mmCIF file of all heavy atoms in Angstrom:
data_model
loop_
_atom_site.group_PDB
_atom_site.id
_atom_site.type_symbol
_atom_site.label_atom_id
_atom_site.label_comp_id
_atom_site.label_asym_id
_atom_site.label_seq_id
_atom_site.Cartn_x
_atom_site.Cartn_y
_atom_site.Cartn_z
ATOM 1 N N MET G 11 0.900 18.238 14.733
ATOM 2 C CA MET G 11 0.621 17.428 15.862
ATOM 3 C C MET G 11 -0.151 16.224 15.461
ATOM 4 O O MET G 11 0.152 15.028 15.892
ATOM 5 C CB MET G 11 -0.123 18.235 16.922
ATOM 6 C CG MET G 11 0.708 19.290 17.582
ATOM 7 S SD MET G 11 -0.229 20.118 18.810
ATOM 8 C CE MET G 11 0.006 19.045 20.160
ATOM 9 N N CYS G 126 -12.853 16.145 16.543
ATOM 10 C CA CYS G 126 -12.492 15.325 17.679
ATOM 11 C C CYS G 126 -13.594 15.247 18.730
ATOM 12 O O CYS G 126 -13.923 14.198 19.254
ATOM 13 C CB CYS G 126 -11.220 15.785 18.319
ATOM 14 S SG CYS G 126 -11.054 17.605 18.390
ATOM 15 N N GLN G 153 -11.895 21.264 26.603
ATOM 16 C CA GLN G 153 -11.006 20.734 25.556
ATOM 17 C C GLN G 153 -9.572 20.989 25.810
ATOM 18 O O GLN G 153 -9.167 22.078 26.195
ATOM 19 C CB GLN G 153 -11.530 21.240 24.179
ATOM 20 C CG GLN G 153 -12.870 20.845 23.859
ATOM 21 C CD GLN G 153 -13.362 21.162 22.495
ATOM 22 O OE1 GLN G 153 -14.594 21.392 22.255
ATOM 23 N NE2 GLN G 153 -12.497 21.191 21.495
ATOM 24 N N SER G 154 -8.739 19.959 25.418
ATOM 25 C CA SER G 154 -7.310 20.020 25.633
ATOM 26 C C SER G 154 -6.692 21.188 24.796
ATOM 27 O O SER G 154 -7.145 21.427 23.644
ATOM 28 C CB SER G 154 -6.659 18.729 25.175
ATOM 29 O OG SER G 154 -5.246 18.891 25.029
ATOM 30 N N ILE G 155 -5.680 21.815 25.280
ATOM 31 C CA ILE G 155 -4.971 22.862 24.593
ATOM 32 C C ILE G 155 -4.237 22.293 23.346
ATOM 33 O O ILE G 155 -4.031 23.113 22.423
ATOM 34 C CB ILE G 155 -3.940 23.495 25.519
ATOM 35 C CG1 ILE G 155 -3.611 24.923 25.036
ATOM 36 C CG2 ILE G 155 -2.722 22.666 25.756
ATOM 37 C CD1 ILE G 155 -4.708 25.921 25.351
ATOM 38 N N THR G 156 -4.168 21.007 23.175
ATOM 39 C CA THR G 156 -3.477 20.454 22.033
ATOM 40 C C THR G 156 -4.448 20.669 20.860
ATOM 41 O O THR G 156 -3.917 20.642 19.735
ATOM 42 C CB THR G 156 -3.211 18.911 22.187
ATOM 43 O OG1 THR G 156 -4.493 18.240 22.523
ATOM 44 C CG2 THR G 156 -2.213 18.703 23.299
ATOM 45 N N GLY G 157 -5.711 20.851 21.075
ATOM 46 C CA GLY G 157 -6.667 21.106 19.993
ATOM 47 C C GLY G 157 -6.374 22.423 19.329
ATOM 48 O O GLY G 157 -6.765 22.633 18.143
ATOM 49 N N THR G 158 -5.811 23.320 20.105
ATOM 50 C CA THR G 158 -5.504 24.672 19.452
ATOM 51 C C THR G 158 -4.304 24.528 18.530
ATOM 52 O O THR G 158 -4.222 25.227 17.545
ATOM 53 C CB THR G 158 -5.293 25.667 20.521
ATOM 54 O OG1 THR G 158 -6.381 25.616 21.466
ATOM 55 C CG2 THR G 158 -5.188 27.091 20.003
ATOM 56 N N GLY G 159 -3.398 23.730 18.954
ATOM 57 C CA GLY G 159 -2.145 23.575 18.148
ATOM 58 C C GLY G 159 -0.933 23.690 18.961
ATOM 59 O O GLY G 159 -0.909 24.071 20.125
ATOM 60 N N LEU G 160 0.231 23.568 18.317
ATOM 61 C CA LEU G 160 1.528 23.477 18.996
ATOM 62 C C LEU G 160 1.873 24.813 19.626
ATOM 63 O O LEU G 160 2.408 24.874 20.797
ATOM 64 C CB LEU G 160 2.649 23.109 17.922
ATOM 65 C CG LEU G 160 3.987 22.628 18.456
ATOM 66 C CD1 LEU G 160 3.776 21.490 19.403
ATOM 67 C CD2 LEU G 160 4.899 22.215 17.332
ATOM 68 N N LYS G 161 1.504 25.867 18.944
ATOM 69 C CA LYS G 161 1.855 27.229 19.569
ATOM 70 C C LYS G 161 1.221 27.386 20.924
ATOM 71 O O LYS G 161 1.866 27.892 21.842
ATOM 72 C CB LYS G 161 1.425 28.293 18.559
ATOM 73 C CG LYS G 161 1.936 29.689 18.769
ATOM 74 C CD LYS G 161 1.603 30.560 17.561
ATOM 75 C CE LYS G 161 1.624 32.057 17.898
ATOM 76 N NZ LYS G 161 1.088 32.821 16.713
ATOM 77 N N ALA G 162 -0.017 26.949 21.073
ATOM 78 C CA ALA G 162 -0.716 27.073 22.308
ATOM 79 C C ALA G 162 -0.116 26.178 23.352
ATOM 80 O O ALA G 162 0.055 26.538 24.553
ATOM 81 C CB ALA G 162 -2.206 26.734 22.172
ATOM 82 N N VAL G 163 0.275 25.022 22.970
ATOM 83 C CA VAL G 163 0.972 24.077 23.934
ATOM 84 C C VAL G 163 2.261 24.688 24.403
ATOM 85 O O VAL G 163 2.575 24.619 25.606
ATOM 86 C CB VAL G 163 1.201 22.713 23.257
ATOM 87 C CG1 VAL G 163 2.035 21.782 24.119
ATOM 88 C CG2 VAL G 163 -0.105 21.973 22.802
ATOM 89 N N GLN G 165 2.915 27.868 24.632
ATOM 90 C CA GLN G 165 2.525 28.959 25.552
ATOM 91 C C GLN G 165 2.245 28.399 26.942
ATOM 92 O O GLN G 165 2.706 28.901 27.902
ATOM 93 C CB GLN G 165 1.334 29.769 25.063
ATOM 94 C CG GLN G 165 0.986 30.862 25.975
ATOM 95 C CD GLN G 165 -0.231 31.734 25.495
ATOM 96 O OE1 GLN G 165 -0.520 31.721 24.321
ATOM 97 N NE2 GLN G 165 -0.873 32.417 26.415
ATOM 98 N N ALA G 178 -0.012 32.286 21.664
ATOM 99 C CA ALA G 178 -1.192 31.791 20.817
ATOM 100 C C ALA G 178 -2.448 32.456 21.224
ATOM 101 O O ALA G 178 -3.357 32.633 20.430
ATOM 102 C CB ALA G 178 -1.307 30.281 20.987
ATOM 103 N N TYR G 179 -2.569 32.801 22.510
ATOM 104 C CA TYR G 179 -3.699 33.538 23.051
ATOM 105 C C TYR G 179 -3.252 34.831 23.668
ATOM 106 O O TYR G 179 -2.115 34.923 24.215
ATOM 107 C CB TYR G 179 -4.342 32.692 24.167
ATOM 108 C CG TYR G 179 -5.159 31.509 23.701
ATOM 109 C CD1 TYR G 179 -4.574 30.253 23.637
ATOM 110 C CD2 TYR G 179 -6.440 31.636 23.247
ATOM 111 C CE1 TYR G 179 -5.256 29.182 23.127
ATOM 112 C CE2 TYR G 179 -7.155 30.548 22.801
ATOM 113 C CZ TYR G 179 -6.613 29.320 22.753
ATOM 114 O OH TYR G 179 -7.298 28.232 22.302
ATOM 115 N N ILE G 183 -2.998 31.059 29.795
ATOM 116 C CA ILE G 183 -3.745 29.889 29.591
ATOM 117 C C ILE G 183 -3.780 29.054 30.905
ATOM 118 O O ILE G 183 -4.711 28.507 31.309
ATOM 119 C CB ILE G 183 -3.144 28.995 28.480
ATOM 120 C CG1 ILE G 183 -3.142 29.795 27.159
ATOM 121 C CG2 ILE G 183 -4.000 27.705 28.272
ATOM 122 C CD1 ILE G 183 -2.371 28.984 26.068
ATOM 123 N N LEU G 188 -11.119 28.946 28.875
ATOM 124 C CA LEU G 188 -11.508 29.892 27.843
ATOM 125 C C LEU G 188 -12.737 29.427 27.041
ATOM 126 O O LEU G 188 -12.729 28.448 26.368
ATOM 127 C CB LEU G 188 -10.319 29.939 26.831
ATOM 128 C CG LEU G 188 -8.894 30.102 27.345
ATOM 129 C CD1 LEU G 188 -7.872 30.073 26.218
ATOM 130 C CD2 LEU G 188 -8.775 31.293 28.268
ATOM 131 N N HIS G 190 -13.998 29.708 24.424
ATOM 132 C CA HIS G 190 -13.719 30.231 22.986
ATOM 133 C C HIS G 190 -12.910 29.211 22.277
ATOM 134 O O HIS G 190 -11.645 29.271 22.310
ATOM 135 C CB HIS G 190 -13.068 31.581 23.155
ATOM 136 C CG HIS G 190 -12.739 32.314 21.789
ATOM 137 N ND1 HIS G 190 -12.252 33.553 21.709
ATOM 138 C CD2 HIS G 190 -13.047 31.912 20.521
ATOM 139 C CE1 HIS G 190 -12.172 33.923 20.435
ATOM 140 N NE2 HIS G 190 -12.617 32.883 19.662
ATOM 141 N N CYS G 191 -13.575 28.278 21.539
ATOM 142 C CA CYS G 191 -12.832 27.261 20.710
ATOM 143 C C CYS G 191 -13.166 27.599 19.312
ATOM 144 O O CYS G 191 -14.397 27.393 18.891
ATOM 145 C CB CYS G 191 -13.238 25.884 21.099
ATOM 146 S SG CYS G 191 -12.774 25.388 22.766
ATOM 147 N N ASP G 192 -12.223 28.008 18.477
ATOM 148 C CA ASP G 192 -12.415 28.382 17.134
ATOM 149 C C ASP G 192 -13.108 29.772 17.109
ATOM 150 O O ASP G 192 -13.207 30.379 18.117
ATOM 151 C CB ASP G 192 -13.181 27.296 16.332
ATOM 152 C CG ASP G 192 -12.881 27.263 14.864
ATOM 153 O OD1 ASP G 192 -12.599 28.325 14.309
ATOM 154 O OD2 ASP G 192 -12.858 26.176 14.299
ATOM 155 N N VAL G 226 -15.238 24.788 25.702
ATOM 156 C CA VAL G 226 -14.361 25.483 26.634
ATOM 157 C C VAL G 226 -12.961 24.911 26.426
ATOM 158 O O VAL G 226 -12.793 23.701 26.395
ATOM 159 C CB VAL G 226 -14.839 25.465 28.070
ATOM 160 C CG1 VAL G 226 -13.878 26.135 28.975
ATOM 161 C CG2 VAL G 226 -16.231 25.984 28.204
ATOM 162 N N ARG G 227 -11.928 25.729 26.375
ATOM 163 C CA ARG G 227 -10.555 25.331 26.317
ATOM 164 C C ARG G 227 -9.937 25.416 27.692
ATOM 165 O O ARG G 227 -10.077 26.411 28.448
ATOM 166 C CB ARG G 227 -9.789 26.332 25.366
ATOM 167 C CG ARG G 227 -8.394 25.793 25.108
ATOM 168 C CD ARG G 227 -8.374 24.731 24.157
ATOM 169 N NE ARG G 227 -8.880 25.011 22.818
ATOM 170 C CZ ARG G 227 -9.228 24.170 21.856
ATOM 171 N NH1 ARG G 227 -8.989 22.910 22.153
ATOM 172 N NH2 ARG G 227 -9.638 24.521 20.696
ATOM 173 N N ILE G 228 -9.229 24.343 28.108
ATOM 174 C CA ILE G 228 -8.721 24.295 29.490
ATOM 175 C C ILE G 228 -7.237 23.873 29.394
ATOM 176 O O ILE G 228 -6.827 23.244 28.422
ATOM 177 C CB ILE G 228 -9.461 23.352 30.386
ATOM 178 C CG1 ILE G 228 -9.474 21.859 29.893
ATOM 179 C CG2 ILE G 228 -10.873 23.812 30.634
ATOM 180 C CD1 ILE G 228 -9.996 20.883 30.817
ATOM 181 N N VAL G 230 -5.088 21.565 29.801
ATOM 182 C CA VAL G 230 -4.867 20.189 29.935
ATOM 183 C C VAL G 230 -4.313 19.652 28.594
ATOM 184 O O VAL G 230 -4.697 20.173 27.539
ATOM 185 C CB VAL G 230 -6.250 19.531 30.253
ATOM 186 C CG1 VAL G 230 -6.287 18.058 29.923
ATOM 187 C CG2 VAL G 230 -6.649 19.739 31.757
ATOM 188 N N HIS G 234 -9.801 15.531 25.488
ATOM 189 C CA HIS G 234 -11.035 16.376 25.663
ATOM 190 C C HIS G 234 -11.982 15.672 26.633
ATOM 191 O O HIS G 234 -12.066 14.447 26.641
ATOM 192 C CB HIS G 234 -11.732 16.499 24.342
ATOM 193 C CG HIS G 234 -11.040 17.418 23.355
ATOM 194 N ND1 HIS G 234 -9.938 18.152 23.658
ATOM 195 C CD2 HIS G 234 -11.373 17.534 22.017
ATOM 196 C CE1 HIS G 234 -9.646 18.827 22.509
ATOM 197 N NE2 HIS G 234 -10.413 18.490 21.535
ATOM 198 N N ASN G 307 -7.929 13.423 22.252
ATOM 199 C CA ASN G 307 -8.389 14.153 21.011
ATOM 200 C C ASN G 307 -7.427 13.978 19.814
ATOM 201 O O ASN G 307 -7.890 14.131 18.650
ATOM 202 C CB ASN G 307 -8.631 15.583 21.328
ATOM 203 C CG ASN G 307 -7.382 16.271 21.838
ATOM 204 O OD1 ASN G 307 -6.920 15.970 22.850
ATOM 205 N ND2 ASN G 307 -6.882 17.244 21.078
ATOM 206 N N LEU G 308 -6.156 13.723 20.114
ATOM 207 C CA LEU G 308 -5.210 13.514 18.979
ATOM 208 C C LEU G 308 -5.300 12.106 18.416
ATOM 209 O O LEU G 308 -4.936 11.866 17.227
ATOM 210 C CB LEU G 308 -3.785 13.830 19.379
ATOM 211 C CG LEU G 308 -3.581 15.290 19.874
ATOM 212 C CD1 LEU G 308 -2.097 15.445 20.328
ATOM 213 C CD2 LEU G 308 -3.884 16.235 18.749
#
Side-chain angles (χ1 to χ4, degrees):
M11 290 181 84
C126 40
Q153 299 188 209
S154 167
I155 201 74
T156 56
T158 308
L160 197 53
K161 196 168 157 186
V163 174
Q165 179 179 338
Y179 285 94
I183 302 172
L188 315 178
H190 184 175
C191 296
D192 208 326
V226 179
R227 189 74 65 192
I228 59 169
V230 158
H234 290 350
N307 56 295
L308 298 177

